[in-house]
Amino acid sequence: MYNAVIITGPGFQDHDVVYTYYRLKEEGYNVDIATKEGKPVIGKYNVPLPMDKTAKPNIPFTDLSVDKYDVVILTGGHEAPDRVRQDKTVLAFVKAMDEAGKIVAGLCHGPWIMISAKVLKGRTVCAYVGMVDDMVNSGANVVDAEVITDGNIITCSYYGYVGKFMKAVFSAVEGRASQQPAIRAAA
């Protein structure tokens, strides 16, 4: 079983979180949702986190550990990523995930967190139209595409492409796992 964490905050793009969360669960992933202090938050269109009665409580940013996760998903909605990228604990975690070669995936405005964690310089990415300048200024090579995978970094330009984004995430996690010498324990 793989472990994923979705990092978000108040005003998140509901589509991003709902789709990625349930697709990860459907594929058998253990999924955590991290928010500041683990507090419940509400999305742009009023979806609550935790999402339903079967969901675990949100975890605080201080519980993020590279050893615990195979993939981090950074979701959009311009308000949430803008708040989250101001948290030094999250930025250190995202940078450490990248340095460990683990999958760092940003959807729509989620890559703002990647920019602030300084993991995009020299990477080929795609970007939401309103973020192109930010991505270019971070040193990334921005191309017009729906989803781009550059090594362990995955970007998606718009939540309408979240299905393709999740396929890229699953493929990248599986690819990384197949290259690891350690044997994964079955859940």
Side-chain angles (χ1 to χ4, degrees), residues 61-64 86-94:
F61 294 156
T62 53
D63 283 1
L64 295 170
Q86 297 174 45
D87 189 287
K88 291 181 187 331
T89 301
V90 170
L91 299 183
F93 171 72
V94 170

Side-chain angles (χ1 to χ4, degrees), residues 32-72:
D32 287 328
I33 295 180
T35 60
K36 188 172 184 145
E37 299 174 2
K39 291 184 177 178
V41 294
I42 303 292
K44 184 176 176 180
Y45 300 110
N46 297 313
V47 168
L49 293 178
M51 217 171 314
D52 63 41
K53 66 182 181 180
T54 67
K56 299 181 289 187
N58 299 340
I59 66 164
F61 294 156
T62 53
D63 283 1
L64 295 170
S65 169
V66 173
D67 295 336
K68 187 174 178 183
Y69 298 105
D70 300 292
V71 58
V72 57

Side-chain angles (χ1 to χ4, degrees), residues 67-171:
D67 295 336
K68 187 174 178 183
Y69 298 105
D70 300 292
V71 58
V72 57
I73 307 270
L74 306 168
T75 59
H78 71 277
E79 182 183 352
D82 193 37
R83 289 177 187 225
V84 171
R85 72 183 181 154
Q86 297 174 45
D87 189 287
K88 291 181 187 331
T89 301
V90 170
L91 299 183
F93 171 72
V94 170
K95 186 164 188 63
M97 286 286 286
D98 177 52
E99 289 171 349
K102 294 195 175 183
I103 308 307
V104 179
L107 172 60
C108 205
H109 280 81
W112 261 346
I113 301 164
M114 299 160 91
I115 290 169
S116 294
K118 301 185 182 350
V119 300
L120 295 183
K121 186 174 184 178
R123 297 295 182 94
T124 298
V125 300
C126 59
Y128 178 71
V129 66
M131 288 187 49
V132 171
D133 291 343
D134 297 329
M135 300 286 260
V136 168
N137 290 337
S138 76
N141 172 36
V142 180
V143 297
D144 184 19
E146 296 171 355
V147 177
I148 295 286
T149 300
D150 184 347
N152 64 314
I153 298 288
I154 301 170
T155 51
C156 180
S157 59
Y158 183 63
Y159 68 77
Y161 310 128
V162 70
K164 291 178 182 179
F165 172 74
M166 290 308 295
K167 286 179 183 177
V169 167
F170 297 137
S171 177

